[in-house]
Amino acid sequence: RVVGRHDDRDPLPMAHDPWIMTTAAGRPGPGIVIGLFALLAILVLPVFPHFVSPNETTRWALAAAVVEEGKLEVTRSARLLGPRLEDVAAFDGRLYSNKAPGAALVALPGYLAARPFAGPPSPASLRPSLTAMRLAGATLPVLLLALLFARLAPEGGRREALFALLFATPLLAYALLLFAHALVAACLFGAWAALFGPSAGSAGPRRDAAAGALLGLAVLSEYPAAVPALAIVAVAAWRAPRRLLPIGAGALPFAALLGAYDAACFGSPFRLSSGLEKDAAFRDLARRGLFGIGLPRPAILLRLLLDPSKGLLVLSPLLLLVPAGLAAARRRLGPRAFAALLLAPLAVLLTYAGYPNWHGGFTVGARYLVAALPFLLFPLAFLRWGPVATFLSGASAAAVGLTTLVFPFVPPGFPLPWGSFAAPLLAEGLAAPNLLHLVARPLALVVPFAIVLAAAAVATGRRRLLPFLAGALLWTGAGLLLPRLSPLAPPLLVQRGYVAEVYFTRSGALERAMPAGVPVPPRLRERKALEETLPPTRWPF
């Protein structure tokens, strides 16, 4: 039964045991899982040599322009990043970030904190300043999300579901990268908790205003977040329209900020950067539907979930248990809390089922679905975790962990990418830049994965660690076996060799990846020569 007042706020149950470091039964608490995640996020710095990550560096360019020049245009800071930066908008002969400005705004304190140590914008300062921005704009929101998730989840499956959220879904990757997805996920789930969570009656309007602010920040950071935000608000205001006023009041400053930003950059508060893409392909895509998003299509929906390279259920098979989790959650949550918990991820899924560029490019999984992950994982905390759930958690952690901690920018087309893409790179001694590369390469290769395993041991307990390891080994083996049964096409092998040679600075990898007797094409040599002149600087792999 729901604990609390049975009024239109429809409050959530909340555990009352000491939950940070130990549970009421004396077992390790979720705080240890969160701490291990924070340690991993500080240790791993996935800013690769010569890889101008467009989604991240366009936000870095905006922060640099604001701090160094007092401007919103990124023309000068983008010049440092070279001609391959594609995530920019062009207007009136000037360049601007093509992203919604919210994530850059949240990450701006990171740039300011790093500036005295990193120095002005340069190839040498890019890695530390971008990392500081990522910590502020992606990692910190996920840590706050994890604390909220653990506070609201029932004790029974809390540690396991929290581990899965942080280590066994693509949220792991986007907590380590300066994309907007992790921030949006935290804002949407935080708004849901504020609207439907435990609160005193006198705090109602304040909580509603806080929820509106979180929803406003979500939309300011990623425009399509307006769809799940509207779904959450609609449920909250159903038969309680008075709640719309404080929710709207909380969201209004962010709407005003977006209008002011667009007016300053593009001459109108109603002209978004998404419609002014410099890249011709993105510009043409944005002209279809509503900034590229049309009606849901079954084929795209299936690929979002089941594509061998990017499908959410392929990288995180644990999510197959979501229907069972929803059934269990429905018995514990009030009707409004449950309805919003169900509609928010459904809105995300249906929105991007209408987007032709559903895979999002060089990614870990279907990155646009990251905003739905807290809503999908929370019901799993209501389950009684047995060997099957633990097995699936192990499979998911292996797939996501291998893919993320080696090179979290997987090109499209690699089936079961942890086996076909990441594992061969790891076998060559290559892993994402981390602080232990500065100490000893063996530590750099082992410790990040050991942290994941330690978090799994805390979450599952020693008795159930065996099915976790069985799932991890089986799903890893499937990824390794598939390329042997169905060999990768030569272009994919060449692409993987190019990543090793240019972004991991492994000399000769590209030539070894070419088919026997086939030289590296001149066009590819030219691209390689260009990219090797670009920031970020080298890393001691």
Side-chain angles (χ1 to χ4, degrees):
R1 293 179 61 87
V2 172
V3 178
R5 294 186 308 123
H6 292 264
D7 64 4
D8 58 45
R9 297 192 61 77
D10 198 19
L12 285 166
M14 184 177 69
H16 296 286
D17 58 285
W19 60 274
I20 289 291
M21 301 307 292
T22 60
T23 66
R27 293 176 295 179
I32 298 177
V33 176
I34 297 172
L36 288 168
F37 173 79
L39 175 62
L40 183 68
I42 293 171
L43 181 68
V44 178
L45 316 173
V47 183
F48 290 80
H50 316 307
F51 185 76
V52 180
S53 172
N55 210 299
E56 298 180 277
T57 52
T58 188
R59 295 183 168 97
W60 175 87
L62 176 57
V66 169
V67 173
E68 310 293 343
E69 306 173 60
K71 297 180 179 179
L72 296 175
E73 69 165 290
V74 302
T75 307
R76 183 176 175 184
S77 51
R79 193 177 302 127
L80 176 69
L81 301 170
R84 294 192 58 80
L85 179 61
E86 56 192 27
D87 280 7
V88 289
F91 181 75
D92 199 21
R94 295 184 290 271
L95 296 181
Y96 299 88
S97 173
N98 71 339
K99 303 299 179 188
L105 177 67
V106 174
L108 185 60
Y111 185 96
L112 291 170
R115 178 61 170 80
F117 309 97
S122 71
S125 71
L126 178 58
R127 180 176 284 110
S129 57
L130 181 59
T131 298
M133 289 183 67
R134 181 266 294 178
L135 289 170
T139 303
L140 180 58
V142 170
L143 289 172
L144 296 174
L145 166 65
L147 290 169
L148 177 63
F149 187 101
R151 182 171 177 79
L152 294 178
E155 183 181 353
R158 181 171 54 195
R159 291 176 305 166
E160 295 89 340
L162 179 64
F163 169 83
L165 176 71
L166 295 177
F167 292 97
T169 72
L171 182 65
L172 171 64
Y174 298 99
L176 305 179
L177 301 170
L178 187 57
F179 287 58
H181 308 310
L183 173 63
V184 172
C187 288
L188 290 177
F189 189 78
W192 175 80
L195 290 170
F196 305 103
S199 64
S202 61
R206 293 196 294 272
R207 292 284 289 270
D208 287 351
L214 288 170
L215 294 175
L217 179 56
V219 178
L220 184 66
S221 304
E222 199 168 77
Y223 302 132
V227 181
L230 288 173
I232 293 171
V233 171
V235 175
W238 179 255
R239 295 183 179 177
R242 65 184 182 277
R243 301 186 73 181
L244 290 174
L245 184 60
I247 293 172
L252 183 60
F254 296 91
L257 180 59
L258 177 59
Y261 174 83
D262 288 334
C265 294
F266 313 120
S268 168
F270 305 108
R271 184 179 289 140
L272 300 180
S273 57
S274 304
L276 299 166
E277 297 274 4
K278 182 184 178 184
D279 184 273
F282 291 150
R283 188 168 60 248
D284 292 341
L285 177 63
R287 290 172 179 166
R288 306 174 190 174
L290 184 62
F291 296 106
I293 297 176
L295 295 176
R297 293 163 54 183
I300 296 179
L301 179 62
L302 287 174
R303 298 197 72 180
L304 282 167
L305 297 176
L306 298 174
D307 181 80
S309 178
K310 305 292 185 183
L312 183 61
L313 296 179
V314 174
L315 270 86
S316 295
L318 176 67
L319 294 175
L320 291 169
L321 299 180
V322 167
L326 287 170
R330 186 177 184 180
R331 294 191 291 269
R332 298 282 300 277
L333 299 179
R336 295 193 188 204
F338 179 78
L341 184 74
L342 178 64
L343 289 177
L346 187 62
V348 174
L349 186 61
L350 292 179
T351 296
Y352 288 107
Y355 190 42
N357 192 38
W358 61 272
H359 56 76
F362 285 41
T363 64
V364 175
R367 62 183 174 92
Y368 298 120
L369 300 186
V370 168
L373 290 175
F375 298 93
L376 297 176
L377 268 295
F378 189 69
L380 300 190
F382 293 84
L383 292 177
R384 184 181 181 88
W385 282 61
V388 173
T390 307
F391 178 92
L392 293 173
S393 180
S396 304
V400 171
L402 270 171
T403 308
T404 297
L405 298 177
V406 174
F407 188 76
F409 302 98
V410 182
F414 283 89
L416 308 189
W418 60 93
S420 63
F421 181 81
L425 294 173
L426 185 62
E428 294 184 29
L430 303 177
N434 66 71
L435 296 178
L436 292 176
H437 278 114
L438 307 177
V439 180
R441 188 174 71 165
L443 293 176
L445 297 176
V446 171
V447 170
F449 298 99
I451 293 174
V452 177
L453 185 59
V458 171
T460 64
R462 286 179 293 179
R463 292 182 180 179
R464 284 184 285 134
L465 191 58
L466 186 59
F468 179 92
L469 294 174
L473 290 173
L474 181 65
W475 211 225
T476 300
L480 295 172
L481 183 61
L482 183 61
R484 294 182 178 273
L485 297 177
S486 178
L488 296 177
L492 292 178
L493 296 174
V494 171
Q495 199 165 24
R496 193 175 67 200
Y498 185 93
V499 168
E501 175 141 347
V502 179
Y503 307 140
F504 283 100
T505 61
R506 180 58 61 89
S507 180
L510 180 56
E511 291 185 358
R512 291 192 296 271
M514 297 297 298
V518 179
V520 178
R523 184 176 178 182
L524 198 55
R525 288 187 181 277
E526 291 173 5
R527 174 178 171 175
K528 173 179 174 294
L530 169 63
E531 288 206 279
E532 288 177 337
T533 67
L534 301 179
T537 51
R538 295 174 67 90
W539 184 260
F541 290 110

